Amino acid sequence: MAPPPSGNLLKHETSPYLLQHADNPVHWRAWNEAALAEARTSGKPILLSVGYAACHWCHVMAHESFEDEVTAALMNELFVNIKVDREERPDLDAIYQTALAMMGEQGGWPLTMFLTPEGAPFWGGTYFPPSARYGRPGFPDLLRGIAEAYRGKPDQVRQNVEALTGALNRRAGGDAGGGVPIATIDKVAARLAQEVDTIHGGIGGAPKFPQCSVFALLWRAHRRAAADPGGGDFRRAVTLTLDRMCQGGIYDHLGGGFARYSTDARWLAPHFEKMLYDNAQMIDLLTLVWQETKSPLYAARIAETIGWLMREMTAEDDAFAATLDADSEGEEGKFYVWRADEIAALLGVDTDFFADAYDVTPEGNWEGHTILNRSKRMLLGDAAHESRLAKCRDVLFAARAQRIAPGRDDKVLADWNGMMIAALARAGFVFDRPEWLARAQAAFAGAAALLDRDGRLAHSYRAGRRQDVAMLDDYAQMARAALTLFEITGEDACLARAQAWVAMADAHYWDDAAGGYFFTADDAPGLIARTKHAHDNATPSGNGVMAEVLTRLHLLTGESRHRDRAEAVIGAFSGELAKNFFPLSTLLNAAELMTRPLQVAICGPREAPATVALLRATATSASLPNLVLSVVAPDADLPPSHPAHGKGMIGAKPAVYVCDGPVCSPPFTDPAALTEDLKRR
């Protein structure tokens, strides 16, 4: 057998994160069968390091340890070293993050796991410093200790492996229960509302994450309780949080877009990385809440964030790139922060005016610098005030453009693209911005061209190479994007795509024994376990999104098998509500959609002015989280199971039927009358 190639092999990869480490003196391998075979042949344990391109602490550990010749030599002597991009292989990240949690350790990135040559975990952690501090051992001492334990205590290692792999396989079973009634969702919402910071919004204290799925659940609770005088707490919890985020430092007031999270409780100091999935969820939630509040602040932040998306995040074939880094020139946030004297030199007579609005002081508000924010006032000013500020921002934005920008990870991810396509399409529909809808359609076509091969999705694409291993989330989010486009545009090809992707998920991810979908396919190579859960993490759970997709497919096509499967998904995980409901928001939101869909059927030629006017009323009249929209041509009909089946135009006029459960309204031909009806829903 030929000896394994020597040295660092990451130069052969396309992942920007792996390429960041291609010049390390560590003999890195990517995760593949050759690397695992090398471990088995050598008998060395595997050091698995998982991170991503925009991860600040990943960069820190790389500079301190992986670029150090002495530390690298130790790693090369004692381990087969494998580097994984968690965005490219979320399946591997999910398995080993779960294993770390089972050890009682807090997860995160960089993830540092020690595995047997077969890939089974026996010990791990996250960031380790080069010498002992922060209550953590120094990384070189840890390497020696782990290697010695692996050689000298095989029984203990075997016990750890058996316990962890056994627990991983048991977790794949889910926790089945019955359906989820609305009363249960109301109780969950009331309990979650108690966790909202009543001063700054958001959940809990620092660090503070957007938690969009949770706030979508609270907004839905507000909509259900809208007629209740005591139902205002849910609304305030959501709007306070969105106001604070939109005006806080977590938002990039010059370039648009939201950072990953805030390191403090008041949304001032972000972790400066920008992720496609966070911004997709923020656009979606802001659009939903704007439909009721008509907040100029939300409209502005949506438009600015989409401006950032279209300006900076376009990747190959009009699909969207994944992330922007937190660091530039080796410093976190350097690209985004300011000194007061820099601003004064640029703005001249407008300096004091701008400084008052954006919290600019000589001493700064973060490590001697200023993070621009408008937290002092939650509302925007009048038109003249905002116009003057916009001119100031343009000056600073142009100056900032001369700085060295953070790195961009331009790989195309199926699930993240699906999230953004759906959010962008819905925003285009609601705000009557056809260019946004067209951009969503282009991204959908591009992502599908790069990632779909005969109905089988790839998870990622970059530089001519597909990462063929796909996750449930890829099928769920791309199918959701396809259905969103179908509802808005009526393009049958989008519906067909969604049906094909759901069929593929059913074929390769469904758990025949216990219901629900596995995260990985039945033919995914090189995995020690298949995980299955309905927990939201930084992104919505694949099972929760699939429950929504299946419900929409049932309502749009009339095929009862989709509803049966949606019910089975919710039933497979509903038993977890008694243990920990906090991460189940997406699943619960899908359960509400299944129980209380609001089907709006517009009968008439889609391009006719009267039909367009009815569509505009549907888009802007009210916030309708459970809206399922159908536009039916004069020579077509709705599925037989649809409550408006057989109904049509009134004379020569397009007509709308609003169906709540099995009961439909009388036909509306007047947009004003439709608006009033939808406001009462």
Short mmCIF file of all heavy atoms in Angstrom, two decimals, residues 502-534:
data_model
loop_
_atom_site.label_atom_id
_atom_site.label_comp_id
_atom_site.label_asym_id
_atom_site.label_seq_id
_atom_site.Cartn_x
_atom_site.Cartn_y
_atom_site.Cartn_z
N VAL A 502 -39.37 17.14 -1.97
CA VAL A 502 -40.05 16.46 -0.87
C VAL A 502 -40.03 14.95 -1.09
O VAL A 502 -39.79 14.17 -0.16
CB VAL A 502 -41.49 16.99 -0.70
CG1 VAL A 502 -42.30 16.08 0.21
CG2 VAL A 502 -41.46 18.40 -0.14
N ALA A 503 -40.25 14.52 -2.32
CA ALA A 503 -40.20 13.08 -2.62
C ALA A 503 -38.81 12.51 -2.32
O ALA A 503 -38.68 11.39 -1.80
CB ALA A 503 -40.57 12.84 -4.09
N MET A 504 -37.76 13.28 -2.62
CA MET A 504 -36.40 12.81 -2.35
C MET A 504 -36.14 12.74 -0.84
O MET A 504 -35.51 11.80 -0.34
CB MET A 504 -35.39 13.73 -3.02
CG MET A 504 -34.02 13.11 -3.19
SD MET A 504 -33.99 11.62 -4.24
CE MET A 504 -34.31 12.36 -5.86
N ALA A 505 -36.64 13.74 -0.12
CA ALA A 505 -36.50 13.70 1.34
C ALA A 505 -37.24 12.50 1.91
O ALA A 505 -36.75 11.82 2.83
CB ALA A 505 -37.02 15.01 1.95
N ASP A 506 -38.43 12.23 1.39
CA ASP A 506 -39.19 11.07 1.85
C ASP A 506 -38.43 9.77 1.59
O ASP A 506 -38.45 8.84 2.41
CB ASP A 506 -40.56 11.01 1.16
CG ASP A 506 -41.53 12.06 1.68
OD1 ASP A 506 -41.27 12.63 2.76
OD2 ASP A 506 -42.54 12.31 1.00
N ALA A 507 -37.76 9.71 0.45
CA ALA A 507 -37.09 8.47 0.06
C ALA A 507 -35.83 8.21 0.86
O ALA A 507 -35.51 7.05 1.18
CB ALA A 507 -36.76 8.51 -1.44
N HIS A 508 -35.10 9.25 1.24
CA HIS A 508 -33.77 9.04 1.81
C HIS A 508 -33.60 9.52 3.25
O HIS A 508 -32.58 9.21 3.88
CB HIS A 508 -32.72 9.74 0.93
CG HIS A 508 -32.53 9.09 -0.40
ND1 HIS A 508 -31.86 7.89 -0.57
CD2 HIS A 508 -32.96 9.46 -1.64
CE1 HIS A 508 -31.86 7.56 -1.85
NE2 HIS A 508 -32.52 8.49 -2.53
N TYR A 509 -34.56 10.25 3.78
CA TYR A 509 -34.38 10.83 5.12
C TYR A 509 -35.45 10.40 6.12
O TYR A 509 -35.28 10.57 7.31
CB TYR A 509 -34.36 12.37 5.03
CG TYR A 509 -33.19 12.91 4.24
CD1 TYR A 509 -33.21 12.90 2.84
CD2 TYR A 509 -32.06 13.41 4.87
CE1 TYR A 509 -32.14 13.38 2.11
CE2 TYR A 509 -30.98 13.89 4.15
CZ TYR A 509 -31.03 13.87 2.76
OH TYR A 509 -29.96 14.34 2.04
N TRP A 510 -36.56 9.87 5.65
CA TRP A 510 -37.67 9.55 6.53
C TRP A 510 -37.34 8.35 7.43
O TRP A 510 -36.72 7.38 6.99
CB TRP A 510 -38.93 9.24 5.71
CG TRP A 510 -40.14 8.98 6.57
CD1 TRP A 510 -40.75 7.79 6.80
CD2 TRP A 510 -40.86 9.95 7.32
NE1 TRP A 510 -41.81 7.94 7.65
CE2 TRP A 510 -41.91 9.27 7.98
CE3 TRP A 510 -40.74 11.33 7.50
CZ2 TRP A 510 -42.82 9.91 8.82
CZ3 TRP A 510 -41.65 11.98 8.32
CH2 TRP A 510 -42.68 11.28 8.97
N ASP A 511 -37.74 8.46 8.70
CA ASP A 511 -37.55 7.37 9.65
C ASP A 511 -38.82 6.52 9.66
O ASP A 511 -39.83 6.89 10.25
CB ASP A 511 -37.28 7.96 11.04
CG ASP A 511 -37.02 6.89 12.09
OD1 ASP A 511 -37.14 5.69 11.77
OD2 ASP A 511 -36.71 7.25 13.24
N ASP A 512 -38.76 5.37 9.01
CA ASP A 512 -39.93 4.50 8.92
C ASP A 512 -40.34 3.95 10.28
O ASP A 512 -41.52 3.65 10.51
CB ASP A 512 -39.66 3.33 7.96
CG ASP A 512 -39.60 3.78 6.51
OD1 ASP A 512 -40.41 4.64 6.12
OD2 ASP A 512 -38.73 3.29 5.77
N ALA A 513 -39.37 3.83 11.19
CA ALA A 513 -39.67 3.21 12.47
C ALA A 513 -40.39 4.16 13.42
O ALA A 513 -41.35 3.77 14.09
CB ALA A 513 -38.37 2.70 13.11
N ALA A 514 -39.92 5.39 13.51
CA ALA A 514 -40.44 6.29 14.54
C ALA A 514 -41.01 7.59 13.99
O ALA A 514 -41.51 8.41 14.76
CB ALA A 514 -39.33 6.62 15.55
N GLY A 515 -40.96 7.80 12.68
CA GLY A 515 -41.46 9.04 12.12
C GLY A 515 -40.44 10.16 12.22
O GLY A 515 -39.45 10.09 12.95
N GLY A 516 -40.69 11.23 11.49
CA GLY A 516 -39.74 12.33 11.42
C GLY A 516 -38.63 12.03 10.44
O GLY A 516 -38.48 10.91 9.94
N TYR A 517 -37.85 13.05 10.14
CA TYR A 517 -36.77 12.93 9.17
C TYR A 517 -35.41 12.94 9.87
O TYR A 517 -35.17 13.75 10.78
CB TYR A 517 -36.81 14.10 8.18
CG TYR A 517 -37.99 14.11 7.26
CD1 TYR A 517 -39.16 14.78 7.61
CD2 TYR A 517 -37.95 13.47 6.02
CE1 TYR A 517 -40.25 14.82 6.76
CE2 TYR A 517 -39.04 13.50 5.16
CZ TYR A 517 -40.19 14.18 5.53
OH TYR A 517 -41.27 14.21 4.69
N PHE A 518 -34.52 12.07 9.42
CA PHE A 518 -33.13 12.14 9.85
C PHE A 518 -32.46 13.36 9.23
O PHE A 518 -32.85 13.83 8.16
CB PHE A 518 -32.37 10.88 9.44
CG PHE A 518 -32.72 9.65 10.23
CD1 PHE A 518 -33.49 8.65 9.67
CD2 PHE A 518 -32.26 9.50 11.53
CE1 PHE A 518 -33.81 7.51 10.39
CE2 PHE A 518 -32.58 8.37 12.27
CZ PHE A 518 -33.35 7.37 11.71
N PHE A 519 -31.43 13.84 9.88
CA PHE A 519 -30.68 14.98 9.36
C PHE A 519 -29.88 14.59 8.13
O PHE A 519 -29.67 15.41 7.23
CB PHE A 519 -29.75 15.53 10.45
CG PHE A 519 -29.04 16.80 10.09
CD1 PHE A 519 -29.74 17.94 9.73
CD2 PHE A 519 -27.66 16.87 10.13
CE1 PHE A 519 -29.08 19.11 9.40
CE2 PHE A 519 -26.99 18.04 9.81
CZ PHE A 519 -27.71 19.16 9.45
N THR A 520 -29.43 13.33 8.08
CA THR A 520 -28.59 12.87 6.97
C THR A 520 -29.29 11.75 6.21
O THR A 520 -30.16 11.06 6.74
CB THR A 520 -27.23 12.37 7.49
OG1 THR A 520 -27.46 11.44 8.56
CG2 THR A 520 -26.39 13.51 8.00
N ALA A 521 -28.86 11.56 4.97
CA ALA A 521 -29.49 10.57 4.10
C ALA A 521 -29.10 9.16 4.50
O ALA A 521 -28.08 8.92 5.16
CB ALA A 521 -29.09 10.84 2.65
N ASP A 522 -29.90 8.20 4.02
CA ASP A 522 -29.62 6.80 4.34
C ASP A 522 -28.38 6.28 3.63
O ASP A 522 -27.86 5.22 3.99
CB ASP A 522 -30.84 5.92 4.01
CG ASP A 522 -31.34 6.11 2.58
OD1 ASP A 522 -30.68 6.83 1.79
OD2 ASP A 522 -32.40 5.56 2.25
N ASP A 523 -27.90 6.99 2.62
CA ASP A 523 -26.69 6.56 1.92
C ASP A 523 -25.53 7.53 2.10
O ASP A 523 -24.58 7.51 1.32
CB ASP A 523 -26.99 6.37 0.43
CG ASP A 523 -27.59 7.62 -0.22
OD1 ASP A 523 -27.84 8.62 0.49
OD2 ASP A 523 -27.82 7.60 -1.46
N ALA A 524 -25.58 8.37 3.16
CA ALA A 524 -24.48 9.30 3.43
C ALA A 524 -23.27 8.51 3.94
O ALA A 524 -23.40 7.70 4.86
CB ALA A 524 -24.90 10.34 4.46
N PRO A 525 -22.10 8.72 3.35
CA PRO A 525 -20.93 7.91 3.73
C PRO A 525 -20.20 8.46 4.95
O PRO A 525 -20.24 9.65 5.26
CB PRO A 525 -20.03 8.03 2.49
CG PRO A 525 -20.34 9.40 1.96
CD PRO A 525 -21.81 9.63 2.24
N GLY A 526 -19.51 7.56 5.66
CA GLY A 526 -18.53 7.96 6.66
C GLY A 526 -19.06 8.54 7.94
O GLY A 526 -18.34 9.27 8.63
N LEU A 527 -20.30 8.25 8.33
CA LEU A 527 -20.86 8.81 9.54
C LEU A 527 -21.00 7.72 10.59
O LEU A 527 -21.39 6.59 10.29
CB LEU A 527 -22.22 9.44 9.28
CG LEU A 527 -22.27 10.54 8.22
CD1 LEU A 527 -23.70 11.03 8.04
CD2 LEU A 527 -21.36 11.70 8.60
N ILE A 528 -20.73 8.06 11.86
CA ILE A 528 -20.84 7.06 12.92
C ILE A 528 -22.26 6.98 13.46
O ILE A 528 -22.59 6.06 14.22
CB ILE A 528 -19.87 7.37 14.08
CG1 ILE A 528 -20.22 8.72 14.72
CG2 ILE A 528 -18.44 7.33 13.61
CD1 ILE A 528 -19.55 8.95 16.05
N ALA A 529 -23.12 7.95 13.12
CA ALA A 529 -24.50 7.95 13.61
C ALA A 529 -25.33 8.85 12.71
O ALA A 529 -24.80 9.70 12.00
CB ALA A 529 -24.57 8.44 15.05
N ARG A 530 -26.64 8.66 12.74
CA ARG A 530 -27.58 9.57 12.07
C ARG A 530 -28.36 10.29 13.16
O ARG A 530 -28.95 9.64 14.03
CB ARG A 530 -28.54 8.80 11.16
CG ARG A 530 -27.87 8.13 9.98
CD ARG A 530 -28.89 7.34 9.18
NE ARG A 530 -29.69 8.21 8.31
CZ ARG A 530 -30.79 7.81 7.69
NH1 ARG A 530 -31.27 6.59 7.88
NH2 ARG A 530 -31.46 8.64 6.89
N THR A 531 -28.35 11.59 13.12
CA THR A 531 -29.08 12.37 14.11
C THR A 531 -30.47 12.70 13.60
O THR A 531 -30.73 12.72 12.40
CB THR A 531 -28.33 13.67 14.45
OG1 THR A 531 -28.19 14.46 13.25
CG2 THR A 531 -26.95 13.39 15.01
N LYS A 532 -31.38 12.94 14.54
CA LYS A 532 -32.75 13.31 14.19
C LYS A 532 -33.31 14.15 15.32
O LYS A 532 -33.31 13.73 16.48
CB LYS A 532 -33.61 12.06 13.99
CG LYS A 532 -35.00 12.34 13.41
CD LYS A 532 -35.84 11.09 13.32
CE LYS A 532 -36.46 10.76 14.67
NZ LYS A 532 -37.40 9.62 14.60
N HIS A 533 -33.74 15.36 14.98
CA HIS A 533 -34.27 16.24 16.01
C HIS A 533 -35.15 17.30 15.37
O HIS A 533 -35.20 17.44 14.15
CB HIS A 533 -33.12 16.90 16.79
CG HIS A 533 -32.32 17.85 15.96
ND1 HIS A 533 -32.68 19.17 15.75
CD2 HIS A 533 -31.17 17.68 15.25
CE1 HIS A 533 -31.80 19.75 14.96
NE2 HIS A 533 -30.87 18.88 14.65
N ALA A 534 -35.83 18.06 16.22
CA ALA A 534 -36.65 19.18 15.73
C ALA A 534 -36.25 20.47 16.41
O ALA A 534 -37.03 21.41 16.49
CB ALA A 534 -38.13 18.90 15.97
#
